Amino acid sequence: MSLSRVAPPRSSLLRLLGGLAFVWAGIVVGISFLEAPVKFTAPSLTLPVGLDVGRHVFAALNRTELVLALASAVLVWSARARRGVWMALGVAWLVVLVQTAWLLPALDARAVVIIAGGHPPASTGLHLLYGLAEGLKVLALLAAGGVASRPAVAPRPDAADAAPRSAPVAPLDSSPIPALSHTPISDP
């Protein structure tokens, strides 16, 4: 008995890709827009400790995003996804690449100086840029998930196919409709 491997249908791969994009967006929102800002509202948390925790959390988030980017690239290619999915995920992939290669190392270097008790140079706007990049990435992931999850649109019929096809209709019955009786109902 031979077991042959059958590839999952394209629609299943696209649904999986849409789900992955939505989960990825949820992870980013949960960490970048919930956990990180809320952490610094804790009165007992010192800035150096908060930054040290943040460095570890964002390093783990970045590793997770690299895995999700790779998985989404495999799914996009395997599912032969539409251009809109490619473009939206391309934005997310580009943001992750910029964050990995430049933004996170620069923010990490500033955090290390503060953790060591030093004072980094004046604010460079890197946190604001990182936040904007996260927002762009979330929007791109939501767009990719939405487009990937949407069923493919059926092609429009040719002009020849546009003519309605119907079965022959029998002629209407020309008999008069019987009149309703309006006789009052009497009680016995």
Side-chain angles (χ1 to χ4, degrees), residues 81-162:
R82 292 175 278 211
R83 184 186 317 189
V85 177
W86 276 97
M87 290 172 46
L89 281 173
V91 169
W93 298 332
L94 181 62
V95 169
V96 170
L97 180 65
V98 169
Q99 288 174 327
T100 303
W102 175 58
L103 278 171
L104 283 172
L107 288 168
D108 192 56
R110 288 180 61 81
V112 167
V113 170
I114 295 170
I115 292 167
H119 298 287
S123 178
T124 58
L126 289 177
H127 279 94
L128 176 62
L129 185 57
Y130 190 88
L132 292 172
E134 290 289 82
L136 176 63
K137 182 172 39 178
V138 167
L139 291 175
L141 290 169
L142 292 176
V147 174
S149 299
R150 188 174 61 220
V153 178
R156 299 183 106 193
D158 292 336
D161 292 339

